[in-house]
Structure formats: C-alpha cells, structure tokens
Amino acid sequence: MAYEGILLGMGNPLLDISAVVDEEFLKKYDIKLNNAILAEDKHLPMYDELASKETVEYIAGGATQNSIKVAQWMLQIPGATSYIGCIGKDKFGEEMKKNSTAAGVNVKYYEDESAPTGTCAVCVVGGERSLVANLSAANCYKSEHLKRPEIWSIVEKAKYYYIAGFFLTVSPESIQMVAEHAAAKNKVFMMNLSAPFICEFFREPQEKALPYMDYVFGNETEARTFAKVHGWETDNVEEIALKISQWPKASGTHKRITVITQGADPVVVAEDGKVKLFPVILLPKEKLVDTNGAGDAFVGGFLSQLVQEKPVEDCVRTGCYAANVVIQRSGCTYPPKPEFN
C-alpha cells in the first residue's frame, strides 16, 4: 500500500485536562485567551483545580499529535500516519497509547522512567481557549531514540514530515536530523509557528529550522509576533505570509508555501510571490463548543490531502472542514467518520 507510513509527526504528547472556567480563573492564574504558554510554578495548582470541576474532560492531545490524528481520520487508511514523542510510564501514558493506536496512528513513544506524562490545562471561556502546558515527560525526548534503527526506519519510510514549533523547546537536534534528511531526499518538511512565545524566545532554533521548511503554518497572532521579532514594520498578515514564504531555503526542490489561519477570517496562502485568500466555513456562535485544537485540526485536514498530492485549494478546503468539525466538539475530537468529499 503506497500510503503506509507516508506522514510522520514528531512533538509533545500531552493529556489535555479541559474544563469551562470564568474570567476570575484567568485572572487568578494570569493567563490570556487564544494563547499557549508553558507552565510556571504559579500555574501548577491550576491542574488540580481544573480536575475538581464537574465539566472536566481528559483528552489525548499535544499539537502535533492532534494534527496527525486528524489527518489519519480524514485519510481513513490504517497506518498511513506515524508519530514520535515522549511519555511517562504511568496511567496517563497508557491512556495516550490506547487512544492514539485506536485512532489508527502508528505511535512510537519514547518512555521516560522518571517523569510523568505531560499535561495541558485547557481553560475554556465562551468557546475560546487558553492553553498552559506542563511538559514533564514530553520535555525528556532524546535524539538517541530517533537514532534507533527501528525508529529511524519510520523516518526513512515517510515522505512528509510535520512538527509543531512547540518541539523546538524540547529537541531541536531531532528536528534538524529530520529536516536534513527531508532536504537530502527531496521530501516535504513542515512546521508550525505554534505560539507567540516560540517566535519570541526560541527564535534561534526556529531560524535554524526555517530554511528547511517547505510549508509554514500558523495563525494571525503568531505571524504578527514573528514579524515583530524580525523587525518587519508591518502587521499585515498577507505581507507577513509572503515574507515568510520568501525566506531563503536549504533546498530548491520545493518552493515554500506559508499558510496562515485567522479564526473566522479567510485563510492566507502565500506562494510564488502571490497571496491567495480562502474563506472559512462560518459557524453560528451557539454551535461553537471550544476552539481547542482548531488550528491543529486545520493542519491535519490540510495534510490529509497534501499527502495525496492534491492542489493547495483542496488542502485548505479540507483543513477548514476538519477545523469546523472540531470546534463543535470538546477538544480535538471528531465523529467516527468524516462526511467530506
């Protein structure tokens, strides 16, 4: 089967602890909606507080893992996707393994003996979400795991690679290994800007990986932060997408395409010195459950068509469909089968 193992994701597997909270809660922990940050000491009591809420849900997550699971769901071809990351040897880790395997993804976790499986607090107010990640074991991924013959063979088998920017905080060395392999073998390497703090505080590893990126994904806030960090005197998302697409490349095989989502506003696609806008499927506010995983689902839908070599229009349309499904449910979850042609 041509599609077996075609798409590989690498990132931070996290168990989402999701609950509806109020403005007071956001104030108490000094967090903002539509943002993603790493947990500091002041945030640690938040996890128990969320867990005690009646509405709490536990959902296998982590940005890259979400995207890979959605791509797998859209493809409906068992084993088309693989995923690498680090979990702990605990109940949450076992849950994660069960969940992802049931989703049809070939998961190859590195299991850390000392740290618990990472968690992500998902604080929902009015359908919008604020994410606070406590990486724990996810932070312990080592490139030695990637170098094992049985793991590297998965890298060699894949033709498309997707890594969220969040993994830059964990193992830039692993990212570089995959990026260089992709460039050498004319494969497709893709990353996501992922969060303003990645663009701000992990600029160096991000810039090191950027020349290898054939596709750069992100949202409007991340794109504007990227522009600010690089001293570009503009907050025009179309202009920024274009400038990112024109950043020098390590290999000339593929041109870079930048894809920026803007919530309910059109998706911006920059390639070949031109920008195209694609409208999203608008959803009545009362149907919105939460935006957690919307961006990840968009990427997953996009990738499901890209690996089938469909044109970018189809990739965006499918991304919008997947995101629309996910925002009508809690977390990055979806019905048994997609209703999409």
Side-chain angles (χ1 to χ4, degrees), residues 41-83:
D41 288 345
K42 66 178 179 186
H43 299 119
L44 297 179
M46 174 194 294
Y47 296 87
D48 285 339
E49 192 173 334
L50 282 175
S52 70
K53 292 198 178 290
E54 267 179 32
T55 58
V56 71
E57 290 185 89
Y58 296 88
I59 304 158
T64 307
Q65 187 163 242
N66 283 343
S67 295
I68 295 299
K69 273 168 37 182
V70 170
Q72 178 61 50
W73 171 66
M74 288 296 309
L75 280 162
Q76 294 285 312
I77 303 166
T81 63
S82 312
Y83 175 79

Side-chain angles (χ1 to χ4, degrees), residues 261-291:
T261 59
Q262 313 187 83
D265 292 327
V267 177
V268 176
V269 176
E271 63 173 314
D272 284 339
K274 292 191 281 290
V275 172
K276 282 186 187 151
L277 297 177
F278 297 93
V280 303
I281 310 159
L282 294 175
L283 187 74
K285 185 83 173 137
E286 63 274 11
K287 281 194 166 178
L288 174 70
V289 174
D290 71 55
T291 55

Side-chain angles (χ1 to χ4, degrees), residues 1 7 107 109 120 148 171 186 200 209 226 231 242:
M1 185 194 77
L7 172 63
V107 288
Y109 294 123
C120 182
R148 291 182 196 166
S171 187
N186 297 331
E200 288 169 314
F226 186 92
L242 209 48

Side-chain angles (χ1 to χ4, degrees), residues 164-194:
F166 294 120
F167 202 56
L168 289 165
T169 74
V170 173
S171 187
E173 189 191 346
S174 300
I175 294 175
Q176 243 13 63
M177 281 168 65
V178 172
E180 286 167 17
H181 167 81
K185 302 285 185 193
N186 297 331
K187 295 174 174 183
V188 179
F189 181 77
M190 304 169 275
M191 285 191 75
N192 202 310
L193 300 176
S194 287

Side-chain angles (χ1 to χ4, degrees), residues 210-260:
L210 192 55
Y212 294 93
M213 297 180 206
D214 299 308
Y215 285 80
V216 176
F217 295 94
N219 68 23
E220 74 281 37
T221 317
E222 294 148 11
R224 288 187 177 120
T225 305
F226 186 92
K228 199 168 90 195
V229 166
H230 291 89
W232 298 348
E233 302 279 303
T234 178
D235 63 0
N236 179 309
V237 174
E238 294 173 40
E239 226 173 292
I240 297 164
L242 209 48
K243 281 179 95 100
I244 293 173
S245 73
Q246 290 162 342
W247 194 284
K249 282 198 93 247
S251 144
T253 310
H254 308 286
K255 57 190 177 183
R256 182 180 301 109
I257 298 179
T258 312
V259 184
I260 306 294

